[in-house]
Amino acid sequence: MGEITGRVLIQVRVNKIYRDEAREVLDDIGMDVTTAVEIFLKTVAKERKIPFTLRATDPHDFYTEQDRLDIQEAAREIEKGNFITQEDLMKKIKARKS
């Protein structure tokens, strides 16, 4: 990581509700928003990744949890030597969605 030589101003537009709710939580733990953002940025720089898990939560995601289980089951069957085609797997998934 580089040497700390100075401070810069970062301006970010965020939803007021999120800012206010976050500020309340941070106040409860004795931290201001600037410090929280700086900790976030330091962690990203040091670990070279976002310091939490990102995942899609779109309810319109094509594959449901059951679809994922079916795919995992198909993979296990293939590992056992039982062949299943992608077409057969997709038919199973589509039939359940109908």
Side-chain angles (χ1 to χ4, degrees):
M1 222 170 1
E3 181 182 323
I4 298 174
T5 58
R7 301 187 65 76
V8 296
L9 174 66
I10 297 176
Q11 293 182 324
V12 181
R13 292 194 187 280
V14 297
N15 183 300
K16 182 182 181 324
I17 293 169
Y18 298 152
R19 188 222 35 213
D20 293 346
E21 289 177 359
R23 186 177 282 161
E24 282 183 32
V25 172
L26 293 168
D27 285 345
D28 287 347
I29 61 174
M31 184 182 299
D32 61 18
V33 174
T34 299
T35 302
V37 170
E38 188 160 7
I39 290 171
F40 171 78
L41 293 174
K42 282 181 183 178
T43 304
V44 169
K46 181 179 179 184
E47 296 180 8
R48 314 266 321 138
K49 65 177 187 167
I50 302 292
F52 46 81
T53 302
L54 299 175
R55 64 180 167 263
T57 57
D58 183 357
H60 304 293
D61 189 7
F62 180 76
Y63 293 111
T64 65
E65 185 60 30
Q66 184 59 51
D67 295 339
R68 289 180 183 90
L69 293 173
D70 288 342
I71 292 166
Q72 289 171 350
E73 178 186 339
R76 284 192 296 276
E77 288 299 313
I78 291 169
E79 286 174 0
K80 292 178 189 175
N82 301 326
F83 186 73
I84 181 170
T85 66
Q86 180 181 359
E87 183 180 341
D88 289 341
L89 178 61
M90 293 308 293
K91 282 180 186 175
K92 181 177 181 180
I93 291 171
K94 287 177 183 178
R96 194 178 48 253
K97 290 182 183 249
S98 305

